[in-house]
Amino acid sequence: MLRPAPILLSLLVCSPSNAEIYRWVDAEGRVNFSDRQTRDAERVDVRFSKPAGSNPAPTLAPGSPDEAYRGPYAALDILAPGLDETLTETDSGVAVSLQIDPSLIGGHRLLLLLDGNTLPVEGAHTQFKLTGLGVGSHRLQLQVRGADDRIVAQSAPRTFHVRQPRVPGQLP
């Protein structure tokens, strides 16, 4: 069941070495993220890889990291953007809609993998927007992880494409 609890995530896909992400809450109470510092924004410490000497990344059994595995969930999928869909990013971003049934089990948390970067899904929201993606192809995958950070379930990866908006009068 989808819970319409939209939040706005503003993200810039960039190399992990120079990634700076800022967080703020707007007048409507929505949490926002951006690669640009705005008034009342606080810098978020984002780590894209585990420190040296930590446990290796959890593996999914059975199957490969790209294989859908629902685990204890009847449904776990990315509903939007569509597979190989070509979108034009607007100022409001690219809509993402997730399906998880039953609701998130206690001790589990949702994560999005966007172009190889792990992004936590705050409050287990199933509808939100990504902005600042940049033109090109992007890969999105949904994971559910347990308290021990092991993958409990995951969707198949989804590739979508972002193109530049057309300027009025511009030829296709």
Side-chain angles (χ1 to χ4, degrees):
M1 181 173 101
L2 294 177
R3 290 182 281 163
I7 62 171
L8 178 66
L9 290 176
S10 300
L11 303 168
L12 173 67
V13 176
C14 55
S15 68
S17 62
N18 63 3
E20 288 188 1
I21 305 294
Y22 298 92
R23 176 186 183 275
W24 75 96
V25 178
D26 65 19
E28 296 173 6
R30 290 181 291 198
V31 177
N32 297 274
F33 293 88
S34 177
D35 64 315
R36 295 179 190 102
Q37 187 172 16
T38 60
R39 199 177 94 188
D40 300 326
E42 62 184 28
R43 186 162 185 240
V44 178
D45 184 22
V46 179
R47 299 198 197 304
F48 291 101
S49 61
K50 291 187 175 185
S54 66
N55 294 335
T59 57
L60 176 66
S64 76
D66 289 344
E67 184 178 316
Y69 175 68
R70 291 191 313 227
Y73 296 92
L76 184 73
D77 200 7
I78 299 169
L79 302 176
L83 181 61
D84 282 324
E85 183 175 5
T86 299
L87 307 160
T88 301
E89 183 182 20
T90 65
D91 289 337
S92 64
V94 171
V96 174
S97 181
L98 309 174
Q99 178 184 30
I100 182 165
D101 185 40
S103 296
L104 203 59
I105 297 170
H108 290 178
R109 60 191 171 94
L110 288 179
L111 295 172
L112 276 182
L113 286 98
L114 176 64
D115 298 330
N117 297 316
T118 304
L119 307 170
V121 178
E122 290 189 32
H125 294 291
T126 57
Q127 294 183 358
F128 48 89
K129 293 190 178 188
L130 297 172
T131 62
L133 293 174
V135 173
S137 296
H138 299 280
R139 185 175 189 268
L140 191 63
Q141 187 173 23
L142 175 63
Q143 285 186 346
V144 178
R145 294 202 184 182
D148 58 0
D149 206 35
R150 289 184 188 245
I151 299 171
V152 174
Q154 71 180 15
S155 71
R158 166 104 17 130
T159 300
F160 65 98
H161 315 281
V162 176
R163 66 177 172 85
Q164 288 206 6
R166 274 198 198 155
V167 176
Q170 179 183 27
L171 296 174

